[in-house]
Amino acid sequence: FTDAGLREEVRKRTWDYIELALISTVMIWAGLSMFFGGVYRRSSLANNINVYVVDLDGGDVGANVTRMVLDIPVTPSTPVWLQRHDLHSIDAVKAWVLANGWGALVINSGASARLDSALYNGTDYDASAAMTLIESSGRQVVAEMLYVSSALTTAAQTVAREYAQALVTSFQAAPTSEQANYGAVIDPVSFTTVDVAPAGFTISPIMSTFGYLVILLSTIGVLIVWKMTSFPFFTQVRYRDLVLMWPVLLLCLALILSFYQALAFLAFRGPGFNEEALTYTAASFFKFWFTGAAVAFSLGLWLFNWFLHLTPHIIALPSICTVIPNVVSTIGTFELAPTFYRIFYALPFYNGSSIILYIITGAHPTIGRNVGILVAEIVAMTALLSLSIWIRQVCALRGISDAHGWFHGSRYFHSHIPYYKDVARADAEAQAGSVPSNKASGATLPTRTVEIYDDDVERGVSLTTGNLGV
């Protein structure tokens, strides 16, 4: 700062750092806006989720419980209760929830008969046999845990309390029998809970998210190194070889990193990780592995398309704009996302996580759609990478961009390949300054004679013969 000779350079560098601070501010706010926007007022959208009451009893208990459940007030922060009439057994309800539903409250068959027998004949009574709450945490762990499971439990507890109060009041007004089972009067209905696709283990809310995030961050480091060190490839290797080389390298990297993810999950949970739903077989391992590879491959292709062309000071922007939306897509669900942010659910993290949950729990089989989206993204990104490689090679060979990605005209630009416009200008100047041929016109150019003297005769050095003694 005190050296007058450096003040101009200090001034330039100061503006560079101010520019970098502004770019960093934009990147930080872009990331935070995408994250908080994606989860903004998520609880107010809970009524986009439907849960169902199913009456398999057909008696007074079934009718009363169904009415109580459907009378529960609808608020934005709770799922909406509906009734289904097309399911006629508990197994049918479980199969439907496993495949399509979020959850269901089932009034079990024979609930009215068992309660009447206890009230009039004094038989033993198990209140928990009256209702069954069926949930599927494997559909989406966070939404199931925060909204569906709590809604089912709250509804069942509310019904049990109100039903008991009504029955006690009725019994006091007109006792039904001296042999009545008074335990049934106090506790007429209760419930048991069944998770048809259990995924509620310790790290299940972040299992796939964290695994894919580690893979993506590891990939970013490799991609940056490739960007900074691959300049000779674009100047010395044919285009068709580059188009084959880069996707193959990215695929190999994706297979290696996803293999570690699959091993990590197996080591954490063990082969019997989910005995109530599905076991972890060799096929499950390979499905887990290749799903992770598809996610990593598509994201690697996407980011490398950006990295090939961006300058170093903004290279973090596509990483932020890729990581944050993908993470947001896995910690929520489509039904709980604001309208604009539902586009996040076409991203690789979400589709990969949906496939993983189906592999380990069997819940909500949308695997065909998820795989189709991942394949389409891989094909599209591979085609785009072919174009990006061509553009990068043209820029490198014409001196438009250098090894680090700085473009001609930047003070940081440095390339041993001359800028193509400078070459064209130099060629034009050379042609303009050359002497035109006069042979066609028959004109005679001035000439002079140059005599060559060979003085070093002793060593045999002669310009005439071309022997220079070397």
Side-chain angles (χ1 to χ4, degrees), residues 131-175:
M131 296 184 293
T132 301
L133 308 183
I134 301 176
E135 59 186 37
S136 174
S137 58
R139 175 163 181 170
Q140 212 289 328
V141 182
V142 176
E144 188 78 29
M145 179 174 55
L146 293 179
Y147 303 106
V148 178
S149 181
S150 60
L152 291 172
T153 303
T154 301
Q157 291 173 343
T158 300
V159 166
R161 181 176 62 254
E162 293 180 356
Y163 205 105
Q165 291 175 347
L167 192 58
V168 168
T169 301
S170 175
F171 193 84
Q172 289 175 341

Side-chain angles (χ1 to χ4, degrees), residues 237-252:
V237 180
R238 293 178 300 181
Y239 169 72
R240 68 179 186 183
D241 296 330
L242 292 175
V243 169
L244 292 175
M245 180 187 73
W246 288 120
V248 170
L249 288 175
L250 288 167
L251 178 59
C252 292

